[in-house]
Amino acid sequence: MKKYFRGLTFYILIFIVILYFVRMFWQQPQQIELFNFTELLNEIDSGNVMSIDLADNRISGMLNDGTYFESYIPSVMSNSFGDYVFNLAKEKDVAIDLVGVPPVETPWFVDILPSVFMILIFVVFWFVFMQNSQGGGNKVMSFGKSKAKLNKPDEGKIITFEDVAGLKEEKEELIEIVDFLKYPKKYIDLGARIPKGILMVGPPGTGKTYLSRAVAGEAGVPFYSISGSDFVEMFVGVGASRVRDLFDTAKKNSPCIIFIDEIDAVGRKRGAGLGGGHDEREQTLNQLLVEMDGFGDHEGVIIIAATNRPDILDTALLRPGRFDREVTVGIPDVIEREAILKVHSKNKPMDPNVDFKVLARRTPGFTPADLENILNESALISARRNNSKIKMETIEEATTKVIAGVEKKSRVISEKERKITAYHESGHAILAKLLPDMDPVHQVTIIPRGRAGGFTMQLPSEDRSYMTQKRMENDLIVLLGGRVAEKIILNDISTGAQNDLSRVTQLAKAMVTKYAMSENLSQMSYADEEEVFLGRDMTTRKNYSEHVAAEIDREIRRIVDNAYDEAYRLLTENENKIHELAQALLEFETVHAEDFEIVFNEGFEALKVFKEAARKTKEAMEESEKQTEKVENIEDKIGKEIDEIVKETIDEENTHS
């Protein structure tokens, strides 16, 4: 209704403006000719005057052609000349009107009314324009008002800790906050000071925002949510004003929770840029620091902020008294992933053969957002195929889609490129199988997905927190397997290894500069900090000399060359296995884990026999299911006929009796 009224008001104003301009431009003013006394007498004497009005020394009237005229008699001779004009007009049969009163002059304020009216129209028009540009409501002068959204406990769905799967230790850390918001008196009596600010740190998609909402839901208090970018606008001082308004509003509704998402948008280190410190973002941060210091000890306002870049936050934000408690929300482990999958599958019809434990083991490193996306993609695929339930194989297909991208079977690929891709992926897969402590091969395919022409998927059998030097060296060997296989089999190389080479360079550089896994350098970290500020990068220098930099380059090259030589040796010794797997890929395009084991141990022909047997078994099972369905239909039909016969017999007996 408000939108309709606002739109109707706008069109009414436009109509009034148009109407005013039409009247102003189309209403032509009367043309009045001024005659001197001699000209007036000549016009009357020649019979050109139709009517005449006499009012003291003013003479006006209309000519025969419709033109209006005016003339004035000098005051000193008004009586005699007036009589003369009167007699002459009477003689010429001119209509005479003796007014006898002076004309009414228009007041000055009436003359300026059109201008005032026009100004008012423009003021109203500007008011409506500014109101609409600010999103409606009374926001014309509300630039400095906070944009925080208020979620009250009695409005909408309440999220509690039961809705948050996993994160056991994190929830235990936050239960204390909930207890303080519910029962603040017992803490105040003991002189305890609850943390004013809690910083949620973790990778994107790990549930920082959801966990913060669960805290508000458990405590049953108002929850103000705002993003760090909402504080900063193009107008100077707006961010600081919004910070003040947010905290003033929160204090009036205490106890409550303020949640600031992506606080690094305003909380970055001060003085790190090239342009000095007097900019809008830094003023907003300064105001935020002042407001957090200004809190009373028991005002009941708690700030929860989330970020995935704690390293770039200003140190003043992290000191005790501001954000003095940090809760790390990390990647879930296998048990937590299973619980998360069960939570996201509550409103989805799952097939009985879906095993969440298996899915949890196959998704290491996935965040809760990734797991939710997998189940959503599974539901979309099932709906596309008109399935009534989500099956296990559908979820596995969705997992592959999330990791590698959409399968592009329609892309036309030449036989030569298919052969290059097959041998390239065979090199990766064979080395992953030959090297110890490597993740098992889950799938090898030459079907393009996303930006990849093909890929070899390895899924870890367990979660890892650390990487050993030997494991990282084996990863380098596997990454170089595609390039080496092309060189051995095809005696040529292609651009398909570009991503592999980029990952090899990054991993080898990290081994030398970050983890000190080199033989000829001391146990020191030579890695540059991942600084995001241009000014800091230009005003600092590296913490090692050019000689050490050259030594780092030599060590990186040595590690990569050793990995390349080892990959070349292993693939040369197992060249027949590369051919077997490449033939399988060219024949079937995708080789799954059990198929890969058959090819690696028994060869391509054994896989063909296995596939044929599996096909016949599947056809037999489908035929058996059809026969079973026919038998069930016949049994149902016979049962219905028997029921009808029994019913007819009973009806006849009842009729006879």
Side-chain angles (χ1 to χ4, degrees), residues 137-150:
N138 296 322
K139 297 183 179 180
V140 179
M141 299 301 293
S142 64
F143 297 111
K145 297 295 183 181
S146 170
K147 291 186 177 182
K149 297 179 181 178
L150 174 60

Side-chain angles (χ1 to χ4, degrees), residues 203-263:
T206 50
K208 300 184 290 295
T209 303
Y210 205 71
L211 188 59
S212 302
R213 295 194 65 179
V215 173
E218 287 284 341
V221 297
F223 178 80
Y224 291 91
S225 61
I226 191 171
S227 173
S229 60
D230 289 334
F231 289 113
V232 182
E233 289 280 357
M234 63 179 290
F235 303 102
V236 177
V238 171
S241 176
R242 287 178 178 174
V243 171
R244 288 190 294 269
D245 183 71
L246 172 62
F247 282 87
D248 290 341
T249 305
K251 291 174 186 178
K252 295 176 183 178
N253 294 277
S254 64
C256 65
I257 292 175
I258 298 176
F259 177 70
I260 305 176
D261 199 10
E262 304 296 343
I263 193 173

